[in-house]
């Protein structure tokens, strides 16, 4: 048997290299089936050249233009490039045609010839094609609803384990010591000595309370004197109820020990913290003699430093009628305006100095002058502010 010639071997190698890459891949995915390449008939065996003709071929052989061999050699590179591009552009393969306008509701992954199990390319970023509908919202992309919240649980799971009595005691303990506990405070806002023309005096203004955030019991006391003699003193016992986070409504009784004769008053007032941290207090008093009076008081702690504090304070008293027995006239009976500078050695203990002006008006001033006292005077004060 004769060996194949070099021309047949070279032709087979060139045919294998010229095949496109898609022809060498096994595209068995659904919708990606490609037709099998057509089998080419093997080239016909050439008859061996005659010995005389072989001897005549010497040097490099040239092909004459216009012959079939020259045309094939000229178009071979273009054909190879066309086959390579055809192997990368799958849209030219059978079964890969995409419609220009897919039907509504049909994504790119559901087009004919594009089905891939487990791969929905329509939901991938950047895979939205013109003419396709937007993907429907799902999961957290859905708009917020307006359904009512579920009702709070009415049972207590701990009751089934530890018993209802033990858990009820635990809940009461939790409420008591984490917001419902009872507290108390004693504040001596004014406790001072007053140096003034004539005879020196003293004054106090104290209050104490006990209770929780909503309900409290208040005790208030204030008064003044001179030369060791108490000229005016009063005590109030009040029940306080919070009406908002900053103000309390108060009601109770007030008892005046001095001046004589003593009086008992029904008291209704309000006390709290106004905007910008102004401490305000107002009250109405109705005595057992039918006398109606009112009082308004306020002060503000202006911090110069963390320990040095300036406190302006104002107190105004009013009466609906003249009461000569207790030296009170109708209208604005008297007023106190003071300015005190204190230094907090501790928050609970702060000595202070200051100045205060007292003035009686109308019939109240006339009653004082009739007794030989002055209706208005300036005082220099020194005292200590404490609270516990």
């Amino acid at each position: 048997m004769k060996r194949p010639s070099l021309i047949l071997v070279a032709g087979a190698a060139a045919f294998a290299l010229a095949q496109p890459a898609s022809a060498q891949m096994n595209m068995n995915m659904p919708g990606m089936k490609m037709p099998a390449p057509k089998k080419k008939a093997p080239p016909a065996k050439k008859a061996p050249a005659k010995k005389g003709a072989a001897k005549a071929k010497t040097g490099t052989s040239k092909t004459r233009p216009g012959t079939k061999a020259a045309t094939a050699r000229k178009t071979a590179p273009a054909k190879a490039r066309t086959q390579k591009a055809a192997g990368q552009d799958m849209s030219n393969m059978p079964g890969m045609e995409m419609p220009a306008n897919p039907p509504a509701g049909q994504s790119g992954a559901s087009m004919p010839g594009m089905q891939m199990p487990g791969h929905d390319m329509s939901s991938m970023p950047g895979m939205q094609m013109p003419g396709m509908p937007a993907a429907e919202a799902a999961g957290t992309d859905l708009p917020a609803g307006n359904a009512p919240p579920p009702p709070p649980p009415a049972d207590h799971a701990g009751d089934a384990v530890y018993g209802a009595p033990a858990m009820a005691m635990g809940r009461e303990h939790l409420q008591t010591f984490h917001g419902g506990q009872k507290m108390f405070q004693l504040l001596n806002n004014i406790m001072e000595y007053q140096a003034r023309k004539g005879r020196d005096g003293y004054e106090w203004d104290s209050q104490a309370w006990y209770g929780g955030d909503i309900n409290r019991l208040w005790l208030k006391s204030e008064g003044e004197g001179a030369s060791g003699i108490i000229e005016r003193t009063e005590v109030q016992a009040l029940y306080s109820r919070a009406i908002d986070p900053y103000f309390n409504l108060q009601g109770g009784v007030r008892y005046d020990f001095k001046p004589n004769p003593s009086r008992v008053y029904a008291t209704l007032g309000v006390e709290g913290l106004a905007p910008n941290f102004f401490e305000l207090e107002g009250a109405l008093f109705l005595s057992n003699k039918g006398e109606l009076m009112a009082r308004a008081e306020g002060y503000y702690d202006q911090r110069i430093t963390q320990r040095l504090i300036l406190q302006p304070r104002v107190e105004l008293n009013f009466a609906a009628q003249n009461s000569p027995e207790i030296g009170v006239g109708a209208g604005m009976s008297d007023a106190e305006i003071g300015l005190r500078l204190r230094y907090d050695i501790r928050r609970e203990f702060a000595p202070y100095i200051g100045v205060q002006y007292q003035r009686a008006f109308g019939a109240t001033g006339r009653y004082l002058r009739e007794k030989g006292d002055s209706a208005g005077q300036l005082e220099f004060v020194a005292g200590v502010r404490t609270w516990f």
Side-chain angles (χ1 to χ4, degrees):
M1 187 176 182
K2 296 181 181 181
R3 295 181 179 179
S5 64
L6 292 176
I7 297 176
L8 295 177
V9 175
F15 177 80
L17 292 175
Q19 292 297 317
S22 59
Q24 301 175 17
M25 297 172 62
N26 185 15
M27 304 296 286
N28 293 328
M29 293 186 292
M32 296 292 288
K33 295 180 180 179
M34 290 181 286
K38 297 180 180 180
K39 294 183 180 180
K40 294 184 178 180
K45 293 182 179 181
K46 295 182 179 180
K50 295 181 180 180
K51 292 181 179 182
K55 290 180 180 181
K57 295 178 180 178
T58 57
T60 304
S61 62
K62 294 184 179 180
T63 306
R64 289 180 296 175
T67 61
K68 293 183 179 180
T71 304
R73 180 176 295 178
K74 187 176 181 181
T75 59
K79 182 182 286 187
R81 289 195 299 270
T82 304
Q83 291 175 351
K84 186 177 180 181
Q88 297 176 356
D89 187 6
M90 294 187 294
S91 63
N92 296 328
M93 297 181 183
M96 293 296 291
E97 294 83 11
M98 290 188 187
N101 296 318
Q106 189 176 42
S107 62
S110 61
M111 293 182 185
M114 289 295 290
Q115 293 85 2
M116 293 185 184
H119 296 278
D120 185 6
M121 293 190 294
S122 63
S123 61
M124 296 173 61
M127 291 301 292
Q128 188 69 25
M129 298 182 183
M132 291 185 179
E136 296 182 358
T140 56
D141 293 334
L142 291 172
N146 55 359
D155 56 343
H156 302 284
D159 294 353
V161 180
Y162 300 102
M167 291 305 299
M169 182 178 63
R171 288 189 290 271
E172 182 180 358
H173 184 278
L174 181 67
Q175 294 174 359
T176 301
F177 291 96
H178 292 273
Q181 65 268 35
K182 301 297 185 290
M183 300 172 289
F184 71 93
Q185 184 189 44
L186 171 61
L187 171 64
N188 298 309
N189 190 41
I190 294 177
M191 189 176 289
E192 64 191 22
Y193 173 80
Q194 299 174 341
R196 57 197 179 193
K197 185 179 180 180
R199 52 179 182 172
D200 296 344
Y202 54 89
E203 184 178 356
W204 75 90
D205 185 353
S206 304
Q207 59 185 11
W209 59 265
Y210 173 81
D213 294 333
I214 307 299
N215 302 304
R216 293 179 181 178
L217 175 64
W218 284 74
L219 293 176
K220 299 181 180 182
S221 176
E222 65 177 74
E224 59 185 2
S227 301
I229 300 174
I230 297 177
E231 298 176 345
R232 181 181 65 87
T233 180
E234 68 179 51
V235 175
Q236 299 181 39
L238 306 171
Y239 165 74
S240 175
R241 173 78 177 182
I243 55 178
D244 72 359
Y246 299 101
F247 280 90
N248 302 320
L249 183 64
Q250 300 175 340
V253 296
R254 164 188 163 186
Y255 185 78
D256 287 1
F257 294 92
K258 292 289 183 77
N260 291 323
S262 60
R263 291 285 194 273
V264 179
Y265 299 86
T267 304
L268 180 64
V270 63
E271 181 175 358
L273 185 66
N276 297 320
F277 300 97
F278 284 89
E279 295 281 352
L280 298 180
E281 179 181 353
L284 293 173
F285 308 101
L286 181 62
S287 73
N288 56 336
K289 302 293 185 178
E291 300 159 333
L292 182 62
M293 300 180 184
R295 178 181 298 161
E297 181 181 352
Y299 64 87
Y300 176 75
D301 286 346
Q302 175 62 57
R303 293 188 177 274
I304 300 175
T305 67
Q306 288 296 320
R307 294 184 178 272
L308 192 62
I309 301 169
L310 183 66
Q311 184 190 86
R313 178 177 176 271
V314 176
E315 180 179 330
L316 306 174
N317 289 283
F318 305 87
Q321 64 282 313
N322 293 325
S323 302
E325 293 181 354
I326 56 176
V328 176
M332 180 184 291
S333 56
D334 62 84
E336 291 183 2
I337 301 175
L339 192 64
R340 295 168 174 83
L341 180 66
R342 72 174 186 264
Y343 182 80
D344 287 356
I345 298 176
R346 294 174 57 95
R347 297 301 183 196
E348 299 87 353
F349 185 83
Y352 66 86
I353 58 173
V355 61
Q356 177 175 269
Y357 180 74
Q358 290 186 356
R359 176 73 181 179
F361 302 94
T364 305
R366 186 174 69 251
Y367 296 150
L368 289 174
R369 287 190 291 269
E370 289 175 356
K371 293 191 303 182
D373 295 333
S374 174
Q377 54 188 347
L378 182 66
E379 305 167 340
F380 295 94
V381 301
V384 60
R385 182 181 188 266
T386 61
W387 63 270
F388 307 96

